[in-house]
PDB file of all heavy atoms in Angstrom:
ATOM      1  N   ASP A 195     107.488 100.338  94.379  1.00  0.00           N
ATOM      2  CA  ASP A 195     108.280  99.371  95.166  1.00  0.00           C
ATOM      3  C   ASP A 195     107.402  98.540  96.107  1.00  0.00           C
ATOM      4  O   ASP A 195     107.936  97.670  96.830  1.00  0.00           O
ATOM      5  CB  ASP A 195     109.352 100.087  95.993  1.00  0.00           C
ATOM      6  CG  ASP A 195     110.314 100.857  95.141  1.00  0.00           C
ATOM      7  OD1 ASP A 195     110.634 100.360  94.070  1.00  0.00           O
ATOM      8  OD2 ASP A 195     110.727 101.908  95.550  1.00  0.00           O
ATOM      9  N   ILE A 196     106.072  98.811  96.144  1.00  0.00           N
ATOM     10  CA  ILE A 196     105.274  98.241  97.207  1.00  0.00           C
ATOM     11  C   ILE A 196     105.315  96.747  97.175  1.00  0.00           C
ATOM     12  O   ILE A 196     105.562  96.052  98.185  1.00  0.00           O
ATOM     13  CB  ILE A 196     103.824  98.772  97.052  1.00  0.00           C
ATOM     14  CG1 ILE A 196     103.718 100.190  97.535  1.00  0.00           C
ATOM     15  CG2 ILE A 196     102.824  97.837  97.856  1.00  0.00           C
ATOM     16  CD1 ILE A 196     102.337 100.806  97.353  1.00  0.00           C
ATOM     17  N   LEU A 197     105.055  96.085  96.029  1.00  0.00           N
ATOM     18  CA  LEU A 197     105.001  94.640  95.909  1.00  0.00           C
ATOM     19  C   LEU A 197     106.355  94.036  96.149  1.00  0.00           C
ATOM     20  O   LEU A 197     106.459  92.888  96.647  1.00  0.00           O
ATOM     21  CB  LEU A 197     104.393  94.236  94.592  1.00  0.00           C
ATOM     22  CG  LEU A 197     102.904  94.573  94.426  1.00  0.00           C
ATOM     23  CD1 LEU A 197     102.391  94.057  93.058  1.00  0.00           C
ATOM     24  CD2 LEU A 197     102.051  94.015  95.523  1.00  0.00           C
ATOM     25  N   ASP A 198     107.418  94.752  95.784  1.00  0.00           N
ATOM     26  CA  ASP A 198     108.763  94.182  95.996  1.00  0.00           C
ATOM     27  C   ASP A 198     109.162  94.137  97.476  1.00  0.00           C
ATOM     28  O   ASP A 198     109.850  93.250  97.883  1.00  0.00           O
ATOM     29  CB  ASP A 198     109.812  95.045  95.230  1.00  0.00           C
ATOM     30  CG  ASP A 198     109.614  94.927  93.706  1.00  0.00           C
ATOM     31  OD1 ASP A 198     109.123  93.865  93.281  1.00  0.00           O
ATOM     32  OD2 ASP A 198     110.060  95.843  92.993  1.00  0.00           O
ATOM     33  N   ASN A 199     108.714  95.115  98.238  1.00  0.00           N
ATOM     34  CA  ASN A 199     109.073  95.231  99.644  1.00  0.00           C
ATOM     35  C   ASN A 199     108.081  94.587 100.620  1.00  0.00           C
ATOM     36  O   ASN A 199     108.393  94.270 101.757  1.00  0.00           O
ATOM     37  CB  ASN A 199     109.242  96.722 100.027  1.00  0.00           C
ATOM     38  CG  ASN A 199     110.356  97.342  99.385  1.00  0.00           C
ATOM     39  OD1 ASN A 199     111.560  97.142  99.723  1.00  0.00           O
ATOM     40  ND2 ASN A 199     110.078  98.078  98.340  1.00  0.00           N
ATOM     41  N   LEU A 200     106.819  94.332 100.176  1.00  0.00           N
ATOM     42  CA  LEU A 200     105.760  93.828 101.073  1.00  0.00           C
ATOM     43  C   LEU A 200     105.978  92.371 101.441  1.00  0.00           C
ATOM     44  O   LEU A 200     106.171  91.543 100.538  1.00  0.00           O
ATOM     45  CB  LEU A 200     104.409  94.036 100.408  1.00  0.00           C
ATOM     46  CG  LEU A 200     103.207  93.590 101.241  1.00  0.00           C
ATOM     47  CD1 LEU A 200     103.033  94.434 102.432  1.00  0.00           C
ATOM     48  CD2 LEU A 200     101.945  93.550 100.384  1.00  0.00           C
ATOM     49  N   ASP A 201     106.021  92.070 102.765  1.00  0.00           N
ATOM     50  CA  ASP A 201     106.000  90.676 103.200  1.00  0.00           C
ATOM     51  C   ASP A 201     104.592  90.172 103.487  1.00  0.00           C
ATOM     52  O   ASP A 201     104.221  89.117 102.985  1.00  0.00           O
ATOM     53  CB  ASP A 201     106.851  90.578 104.492  1.00  0.00           C
ATOM     54  CG  ASP A 201     108.326  90.789 104.207  1.00  0.00           C
ATOM     55  OD1 ASP A 201     108.808  90.435 103.090  1.00  0.00           O
ATOM     56  OD2 ASP A 201     109.081  91.302 105.113  1.00  0.00           O
ATOM     57  N   PHE A 202     103.819  90.945 104.131  1.00  0.00           N
ATOM     58  CA  PHE A 202     102.436  90.596 104.421  1.00  0.00           C
ATOM     59  C   PHE A 202     101.701  91.838 105.005  1.00  0.00           C
ATOM     60  O   PHE A 202     102.305  92.574 105.745  1.00  0.00           O
ATOM     61  CB  PHE A 202     102.396  89.443 105.475  1.00  0.00           C
ATOM     62  CG  PHE A 202     100.969  88.985 105.687  1.00  0.00           C
ATOM     63  CD1 PHE A 202     100.308  88.218 104.792  1.00  0.00           C
ATOM     64  CD2 PHE A 202     100.299  89.363 106.831  1.00  0.00           C
ATOM     65  CE1 PHE A 202      99.017  87.709 105.056  1.00  0.00           C
ATOM     66  CE2 PHE A 202      98.990  88.957 107.118  1.00  0.00           C
ATOM     67  CZ  PHE A 202      98.359  88.107 106.210  1.00  0.00           C
ATOM     68  N   ALA A 203     100.418  91.987 104.598  1.00  0.00           N
ATOM     69  CA  ALA A 203      99.630  92.998 105.134  1.00  0.00           C
ATOM     70  C   ALA A 203      98.157  92.531 105.150  1.00  0.00           C
ATOM     71  O   ALA A 203      97.685  91.811 104.313  1.00  0.00           O
ATOM     72  CB  ALA A 203      99.709  94.242 104.329  1.00  0.00           C
ATOM     73  N   PHE A 204      97.414  92.926 106.281  1.00  0.00           N
ATOM     74  CA  PHE A 204      96.046  92.452 106.393  1.00  0.00           C
ATOM     75  C   PHE A 204      95.326  93.521 107.207  1.00  0.00           C
ATOM     76  O   PHE A 204      95.888  94.146 108.105  1.00  0.00           O
ATOM     77  CB  PHE A 204      96.000  91.187 107.149  1.00  0.00           C
ATOM     78  CG  PHE A 204      94.602  90.706 107.565  1.00  0.00           C
ATOM     79  CD1 PHE A 204      93.768  90.119 106.561  1.00  0.00           C
ATOM     80  CD2 PHE A 204      94.111  90.970 108.811  1.00  0.00           C
ATOM     81  CE1 PHE A 204      92.449  89.754 106.891  1.00  0.00           C
ATOM     82  CE2 PHE A 204      92.800  90.610 109.155  1.00  0.00           C
ATOM     83  CZ  PHE A 204      92.007  89.979 108.182  1.00  0.00           C
ATOM     84  N   MET A 205      94.071  93.749 106.881  1.00  0.00           N
ATOM     85  CA  MET A 205      93.236  94.653 107.629  1.00  0.00           C
ATOM     86  C   MET A 205      91.821  94.094 107.690  1.00  0.00           C
ATOM     87  O   MET A 205      91.391  93.401 106.740  1.00  0.00           O
ATOM     88  CB  MET A 205      93.218  96.082 107.094  1.00  0.00           C
ATOM     89  CG  MET A 205      92.761  96.180 105.571  1.00  0.00           C
ATOM     90  SD  MET A 205      92.714  97.895 104.975  1.00  0.00           S
ATOM     91  CE  MET A 205      91.200  98.476 105.745  1.00  0.00           C
ATOM     92  N   ALA A 206      91.130  94.374 108.734  1.00  0.00           N
ATOM     93  CA  ALA A 206      89.736  93.943 108.830  1.00  0.00           C
ATOM     94  C   ALA A 206      89.038  94.933 109.677  1.00  0.00           C
ATOM     95  O   ALA A 206      89.484  95.474 110.679  1.00  0.00           O
ATOM     96  CB  ALA A 206      89.668  92.501 109.489  1.00  0.00           C
ATOM     97  N   THR A 207      87.717  95.168 109.327  1.00  0.00           N
ATOM     98  CA  THR A 207      86.841  96.109 110.040  1.00  0.00           C
ATOM     99  C   THR A 207      85.564  95.341 110.410  1.00  0.00           C
ATOM    100  O   THR A 207      85.061  94.555 109.656  1.00  0.00           O
ATOM    101  CB  THR A 207      86.504  97.318 109.137  1.00  0.00           C
ATOM    102  OG1 THR A 207      87.710  97.981 108.788  1.00  0.00           O
ATOM    103  CG2 THR A 207      85.591  98.240 109.876  1.00  0.00           C
ATOM    104  N   ALA A 208      85.084  95.618 111.634  1.00  0.00           N
ATOM    105  CA  ALA A 208      83.806  95.050 112.081  1.00  0.00           C
ATOM    106  C   ALA A 208      82.967  96.188 112.679  1.00  0.00           C
ATOM    107  O   ALA A 208      83.497  97.063 113.356  1.00  0.00           O
ATOM    108  CB  ALA A 208      84.056  93.969 113.069  1.00  0.00           C
ATOM    109  N   GLU A 209      81.658  96.117 112.477  1.00  0.00           N
ATOM    110  CA  GLU A 209      80.763  97.145 112.995  1.00  0.00           C
ATOM    111  C   GLU A 209      79.505  96.499 113.523  1.00  0.00           C
ATOM    112  O   GLU A 209      78.948  95.586 112.960  1.00  0.00           O
ATOM    113  CB  GLU A 209      80.424  98.164 111.934  1.00  0.00           C
ATOM    114  CG  GLU A 209      79.432  99.226 112.492  1.00  0.00           C
ATOM    115  CD  GLU A 209      78.907 100.138 111.376  1.00  0.00           C
ATOM    116  OE1 GLU A 209      78.422  99.638 110.397  1.00  0.00           O
ATOM    117  OE2 GLU A 209      78.933 101.367 111.613  1.00  0.00           O
ATOM    118  N   ALA A 210      79.045  96.962 114.710  1.00  0.00           N
ATOM    119  CA  ALA A 210      77.714  96.656 115.245  1.00  0.00           C
ATOM    120  C   ALA A 210      76.970  97.955 115.331  1.00  0.00           C
ATOM    121  O   ALA A 210      77.418  98.953 115.874  1.00  0.00           O
ATOM    122  CB  ALA A 210      77.866  96.016 116.652  1.00  0.00           C
ATOM    123  N   ARG A 211      75.823  98.024 114.695  1.00  0.00           N
ATOM    124  CA  ARG A 211      75.069  99.263 114.568  1.00  0.00           C
ATOM    125  C   ARG A 211      73.620  99.107 115.097  1.00  0.00           C
ATOM    126  O   ARG A 211      72.972  98.099 114.829  1.00  0.00           O
ATOM    127  CB  ARG A 211      75.047  99.719 113.068  1.00  0.00           C
ATOM    128  CG  ARG A 211      74.498 101.123 112.874  1.00  0.00           C
ATOM    129  CD  ARG A 211      74.648 101.512 111.441  1.00  0.00           C
ATOM    130  NE  ARG A 211      74.469 102.967 111.352  1.00  0.00           N
ATOM    131  CZ  ARG A 211      75.459 103.883 111.347  1.00  0.00           C
ATOM    132  NH1 ARG A 211      76.704 103.439 111.430  1.00  0.00           N
ATOM    133  NH2 ARG A 211      75.273 105.170 111.307  1.00  0.00           N
ATOM    134  N   TYR A 212      73.221 100.161 115.799  1.00  0.00           N
ATOM    135  CA  TYR A 212      71.832 100.229 116.322  1.00  0.00           C
ATOM    136  C   TYR A 212      71.322 101.643 116.039  1.00  0.00           C
ATOM    137  O   TYR A 212      71.853 102.588 116.652  1.00  0.00           O
ATOM    138  CB  TYR A 212      71.766  99.830 117.790  1.00  0.00           C
ATOM    139  CG  TYR A 212      70.385  99.831 118.310  1.00  0.00           C
ATOM    140  CD1 TYR A 212      69.563  98.675 118.197  1.00  0.00           C
ATOM    141  CD2 TYR A 212      69.748 100.964 118.890  1.00  0.00           C
ATOM    142  CE1 TYR A 212      68.288  98.654 118.708  1.00  0.00           C
ATOM    143  CE2 TYR A 212      68.486 100.910 119.385  1.00  0.00           C
ATOM    144  CZ  TYR A 212      67.707  99.740 119.287  1.00  0.00           C
ATOM    145  OH  TYR A 212      66.447  99.727 119.787  1.00  0.00           O
ATOM    146  N   ASP A 213      70.318 101.835 115.158  1.00  0.00           N
ATOM    147  CA  ASP A 213      69.802 103.096 114.789  1.00  0.00           C
ATOM    148  C   ASP A 213      70.905 104.001 114.328  1.00  0.00           C
ATOM    149  O   ASP A 213      71.669 103.657 113.452  1.00  0.00           O
ATOM    150  CB  ASP A 213      68.979 103.664 116.021  1.00  0.00           C
ATOM    151  CG  ASP A 213      68.153 104.887 115.655  1.00  0.00           C
ATOM    152  OD1 ASP A 213      67.767 104.958 114.495  1.00  0.00           O
ATOM    153  OD2 ASP A 213      67.924 105.723 116.541  1.00  0.00           O
ATOM    154  N   ARG A 214      71.101 105.157 114.977  1.00  0.00           N
ATOM    155  CA  ARG A 214      72.170 106.047 114.507  1.00  0.00           C
ATOM    156  C   ARG A 214      73.521 105.777 115.149  1.00  0.00           C
ATOM    157  O   ARG A 214      74.509 106.445 114.874  1.00  0.00           O
ATOM    158  CB  ARG A 214      71.799 107.530 114.850  1.00  0.00           C
ATOM    159  CG  ARG A 214      70.698 108.062 113.888  1.00  0.00           C
ATOM    160  CD  ARG A 214      70.334 109.524 114.273  1.00  0.00           C
ATOM    161  NE  ARG A 214      69.414 110.134 113.370  1.00  0.00           N
ATOM    162  CZ  ARG A 214      69.756 110.918 112.389  1.00  0.00           C
ATOM    163  NH1 ARG A 214      71.046 111.232 112.248  1.00  0.00           N
ATOM    164  NH2 ARG A 214      68.865 111.450 111.592  1.00  0.00           N
ATOM    165  N   TYR A 215      73.534 104.842 116.109  1.00  0.00           N
ATOM    166  CA  TYR A 215      74.788 104.594 116.910  1.00  0.00           C
ATOM    167  C   TYR A 215      75.541 103.430 116.315  1.00  0.00           C
ATOM    168  O   TYR A 215      74.916 102.407 115.843  1.00  0.00           O
ATOM    169  CB  TYR A 215      74.431 104.315 118.372  1.00  0.00           C
ATOM    170  CG  TYR A 215      73.688 105.457 119.046  1.00  0.00           C
ATOM    171  CD1 TYR A 215      72.284 105.555 119.037  1.00  0.00           C
ATOM    172  CD2 TYR A 215      74.376 106.520 119.644  1.00  0.00           C
ATOM    173  CE1 TYR A 215      71.656 106.605 119.612  1.00  0.00           C
ATOM    174  CE2 TYR A 215      73.748 107.584 120.229  1.00  0.00           C
ATOM    175  CZ  TYR A 215      72.413 107.656 120.222  1.00  0.00           C
ATOM    176  OH  TYR A 215      71.771 108.712 120.791  1.00  0.00           O
ATOM    177  N   SER A 216      76.862 103.419 116.491  1.00  0.00           N
ATOM    178  CA  SER A 216      77.682 102.267 115.972  1.00  0.00           C
ATOM    179  C   SER A 216      78.847 102.048 116.923  1.00  0.00           C
ATOM    180  O   SER A 216      79.395 102.970 117.557  1.00  0.00           O
ATOM    181  CB  SER A 216      78.172 102.571 114.573  1.00  0.00           C
ATOM    182  OG  SER A 216      78.993 103.775 114.519  1.00  0.00           O
ATOM    183  N   ILE A 217      79.281 100.812 116.969  1.00  0.00           N
ATOM    184  CA  ILE A 217      80.547 100.452 117.609  1.00  0.00           C
ATOM    185  C   ILE A 217      81.399  99.808 116.567  1.00  0.00           C
ATOM    186  O   ILE A 217      80.981  98.882 115.825  1.00  0.00           O
ATOM    187  CB  ILE A 217      80.260  99.377 118.706  1.00  0.00           C
ATOM    188  CG1 ILE A 217      79.323  99.964 119.757  1.00  0.00           C
ATOM    189  CG2 ILE A 217      81.567  99.007 119.379  1.00  0.00           C
ATOM    190  CD1 ILE A 217      78.917  98.964 120.808  1.00  0.00           C
ATOM    191  N   VAL A 218      82.624 100.345 116.420  1.00  0.00           N
ATOM    192  CA  VAL A 218      83.514  99.916 115.289  1.00  0.00           C
ATOM    193  C   VAL A 218      84.843  99.460 115.788  1.00  0.00           C
ATOM    194  O   VAL A 218      85.502 100.068 116.673  1.00  0.00           O
ATOM    195  CB  VAL A 218      83.697 101.135 114.305  1.00  0.00           C
ATOM    196  CG1 VAL A 218      84.608 100.740 113.185  1.00  0.00           C
ATOM    197  CG2 VAL A 218      82.353 101.588 113.745  1.00  0.00           C
ATOM    198  N   GLY A 219      85.362  98.383 115.217  1.00  0.00           N
ATOM    199  CA  GLY A 219      86.673  97.867 115.477  1.00  0.00           C
ATOM    200  C   GLY A 219      87.425  97.735 114.169  1.00  0.00           C
ATOM    201  O   GLY A 219      86.837  97.439 113.162  1.00  0.00           O
ATOM    202  N   ASP A 220      88.660  98.080 114.187  1.00  0.00           N
ATOM    203  CA  ASP A 220      89.538  98.051 112.966  1.00  0.00           C
ATOM    204  C   ASP A 220      90.930  97.532 113.380  1.00  0.00           C
ATOM    205  O   ASP A 220      91.508  98.010 114.316  1.00  0.00           O
ATOM    206  CB  ASP A 220      89.624  99.450 112.367  1.00  0.00           C
ATOM    207  CG  ASP A 220      90.485  99.416 111.117  1.00  0.00           C
ATOM    208  OD1 ASP A 220      89.968  98.846 110.086  1.00  0.00           O
ATOM    209  OD2 ASP A 220      91.578  99.978 111.072  1.00  0.00           O
ATOM    210  N   VAL A 221      91.424  96.558 112.627  1.00  0.00           N
ATOM    211  CA  VAL A 221      92.743  95.965 112.875  1.00  0.00           C
ATOM    212  C   VAL A 221      93.584  96.099 111.612  1.00  0.00           C
ATOM    213  O   VAL A 221      93.118  95.711 110.491  1.00  0.00           O
ATOM    214  CB  VAL A 221      92.597  94.511 113.248  1.00  0.00           C
ATOM    215  CG1 VAL A 221      93.978  93.858 113.416  1.00  0.00           C
ATOM    216  CG2 VAL A 221      91.891  94.382 114.588  1.00  0.00           C
ATOM    217  N   VAL A 222      94.817  96.503 111.728  1.00  0.00           N
ATOM    218  CA  VAL A 222      95.764  96.640 110.641  1.00  0.00           C
ATOM    219  C   VAL A 222      97.074  96.024 111.079  1.00  0.00           C
ATOM    220  O   VAL A 222      97.643  96.346 112.068  1.00  0.00           O
ATOM    221  CB  VAL A 222      96.021  98.135 110.272  1.00  0.00           C
ATOM    222  CG1 VAL A 222      97.092  98.249 109.182  1.00  0.00           C
ATOM    223  CG2 VAL A 222      94.767  98.809 109.742  1.00  0.00           C
ATOM    224  N   TYR A 223      97.606  95.084 110.206  1.00  0.00           N
ATOM    225  CA  TYR A 223      98.856  94.448 110.450  1.00  0.00           C
ATOM    226  C   TYR A 223      99.727  94.523 109.183  1.00  0.00           C
ATOM    227  O   TYR A 223      99.209  94.121 108.126  1.00  0.00           O
ATOM    228  CB  TYR A 223      98.714  92.982 110.870  1.00  0.00           C
ATOM    229  CG  TYR A 223     100.013  92.293 110.962  1.00  0.00           C
ATOM    230  CD1 TYR A 223     100.842  92.407 112.124  1.00  0.00           C
ATOM    231  CD2 TYR A 223     100.473  91.451 109.938  1.00  0.00           C
ATOM    232  CE1 TYR A 223     102.095  91.765 112.173  1.00  0.00           C
ATOM    233  CE2 TYR A 223     101.687  90.796 109.972  1.00  0.00           C
ATOM    234  CZ  TYR A 223     102.466  90.970 111.127  1.00  0.00           C
ATOM    235  OH  TYR A 223     103.725  90.301 111.163  1.00  0.00           O
ATOM    236  N   VAL A 224     100.911  95.049 109.275  1.00  0.00           N
ATOM    237  CA  VAL A 224     101.765  95.158 108.079  1.00  0.00           C
ATOM    238  C   VAL A 224     103.160  94.704 108.490  1.00  0.00           C
ATOM    239  O   VAL A 224     103.713  95.146 109.476  1.00  0.00           O
ATOM    240  CB  VAL A 224     101.785  96.600 107.597  1.00  0.00           C
ATOM    241  CG1 VAL A 224     102.751  96.760 106.410  1.00  0.00           C
ATOM    242  CG2 VAL A 224     100.454  97.097 107.231  1.00  0.00           C
ATOM    243  N   LYS A 225     103.762  93.910 107.645  1.00  0.00           N
ATOM    244  CA  LYS A 225     105.163  93.493 107.752  1.00  0.00           C
ATOM    245  C   LYS A 225     105.817  93.650 106.437  1.00  0.00           C
ATOM    246  O   LYS A 225     105.381  93.139 105.406  1.00  0.00           O
ATOM    247  CB  LYS A 225     105.319  92.029 108.234  1.00  0.00           C
ATOM    248  CG  LYS A 225     106.766  91.641 108.440  1.00  0.00           C
ATOM    249  CD  LYS A 225     106.912  90.193 108.931  1.00  0.00           C
ATOM    250  CE  LYS A 225     108.368  89.847 109.161  1.00  0.00           C
ATOM    251  NZ  LYS A 225     108.562  88.456 109.589  1.00  0.00           N
ATOM    252  N   LEU A 226     106.827  94.502 106.354  1.00  0.00           N
ATOM    253  CA  LEU A 226     107.481  94.755 105.101  1.00  0.00           C
ATOM    254  C   LEU A 226     108.983  95.082 105.352  1.00  0.00           C
ATOM    255  O   LEU A 226     109.404  95.467 106.432  1.00  0.00           O
ATOM    256  CB  LEU A 226     106.869  95.855 104.288  1.00  0.00           C
ATOM    257  CG  LEU A 226     106.535  97.116 105.032  1.00  0.00           C
ATOM    258  CD1 LEU A 226     107.763  98.071 105.047  1.00  0.00           C
ATOM    259  CD2 LEU A 226     105.371  97.861 104.306  1.00  0.00           C
ATOM    260  N   GLY A 227     109.731  94.875 104.252  1.00  0.00           N
ATOM    261  CA  GLY A 227     111.151  95.197 104.304  1.00  0.00           C
ATOM    262  C   GLY A 227     111.393  96.310 103.304  1.00  0.00           C
ATOM    263  O   GLY A 227     110.683  96.408 102.291  1.00  0.00           O
ATOM    264  N   ALA A 228     112.399  97.152 103.572  1.00  0.00           N
ATOM    265  CA  ALA A 228     112.649  98.287 102.673  1.00  0.00           C
ATOM    266  C   ALA A 228     114.149  98.638 102.823  1.00  0.00           C
ATOM    267  O   ALA A 228     114.811  98.424 103.839  1.00  0.00           O
ATOM    268  CB  ALA A 228     111.827  99.425 103.093  1.00  0.00           C
ATOM    269  N   ASP A 229     114.696  99.195 101.704  1.00  0.00           N
ATOM    270  CA  ASP A 229     116.021  99.724 101.690  1.00  0.00           C
ATOM    271  C   ASP A 229     115.986 101.175 102.284  1.00  0.00           C
ATOM    272  O   ASP A 229     115.027 101.885 102.076  1.00  0.00           O
ATOM    273  CB  ASP A 229     116.561  99.753 100.222  1.00  0.00           C
ATOM    274  CG  ASP A 229     116.700  98.423  99.651  1.00  0.00           C
ATOM    275  OD1 ASP A 229     116.994  97.437 100.479  1.00  0.00           O
ATOM    276  OD2 ASP A 229     116.533  98.203  98.449  1.00  0.00           O
ATOM    277  N   ALA A 230     117.035 101.504 102.965  1.00  0.00           N
ATOM    278  CA  ALA A 230     117.124 102.830 103.611  1.00  0.00           C
ATOM    279  C   ALA A 230     118.570 103.315 103.480  1.00  0.00           C
ATOM    280  O   ALA A 230     119.417 102.639 102.936  1.00  0.00           O
ATOM    281  CB  ALA A 230     116.712 102.724 105.059  1.00  0.00           C
ATOM    282  N   HIS A 231     118.739 104.525 103.986  1.00  0.00           N
ATOM    283  CA  HIS A 231     120.094 105.137 103.967  1.00  0.00           C
ATOM    284  C   HIS A 231     120.292 106.053 105.117  1.00  0.00           C
ATOM    285  O   HIS A 231     119.277 106.558 105.723  1.00  0.00           O
ATOM    286  CB  HIS A 231     120.373 105.836 102.620  1.00  0.00           C
ATOM    287  CG  HIS A 231     119.396 106.983 102.410  1.00  0.00           C
ATOM    288  ND1 HIS A 231     118.185 106.746 101.790  1.00  0.00           N
ATOM    289  CD2 HIS A 231     119.495 108.325 102.674  1.00  0.00           C
ATOM    290  CE1 HIS A 231     117.607 107.968 101.706  1.00  0.00           C
ATOM    291  NE2 HIS A 231     118.367 108.862 102.226  1.00  0.00           N
ATOM    292  N   THR A 232     121.544 106.295 105.492  1.00  0.00           N
ATOM    293  CA  THR A 232     121.861 107.270 106.539  1.00  0.00           C
ATOM    294  C   THR A 232     122.234 108.601 105.803  1.00  0.00           C
ATOM    295  O   THR A 232     122.563 108.601 104.634  1.00  0.00           O
ATOM    296  CB  THR A 232     123.094 106.821 107.361  1.00  0.00           C
ATOM    297  OG1 THR A 232     124.235 106.623 106.517  1.00  0.00           O
ATOM    298  CG2 THR A 232     122.734 105.554 108.096  1.00  0.00           C
ATOM    299  N   PRO A 233     122.220 109.689 106.558  1.00  0.00           N
ATOM    300  CA  PRO A 233     122.513 110.980 105.955  1.00  0.00           C
ATOM    301  C   PRO A 233     123.907 111.020 105.310  1.00  0.00           C
ATOM    302  O   PRO A 233     124.900 110.598 105.937  1.00  0.00           O
ATOM    303  CB  PRO A 233     122.453 111.997 107.150  1.00  0.00           C
ATOM    304  CG  PRO A 233     121.497 111.288 108.102  1.00  0.00           C
ATOM    305  CD  PRO A 233     121.729 109.857 107.950  1.00  0.00           C
TER     306      PRO A 233
END
């Protein structure tokens, strides 16, 4: 059902690295619709 329900999704990762050390940023955005139900 993923493609039927997905409106938009995006992710991006960025890294700055020096020797063994790293600084990492990660962004995830997801917008989707789905059918649901109550008990």
Side-chain angles (χ1 to χ4, degrees):
D195 299 324
I196 287 176
L197 294 181
D198 292 334
N199 292 282
L200 180 68
D201 291 328
F202 182 77
F204 173 81
M205 58 179 283
T207 300
E209 180 188 48
R211 191 175 194 93
Y212 183 85
D213 194 24
R214 286 178 176 262
Y215 300 92
S216 60
I217 302 172
V218 178
D220 181 68
V221 174
V222 175
Y223 173 80
V224 179
K225 183 178 181 180
L226 51 82
D229 295 328
H231 61 273
T232 59

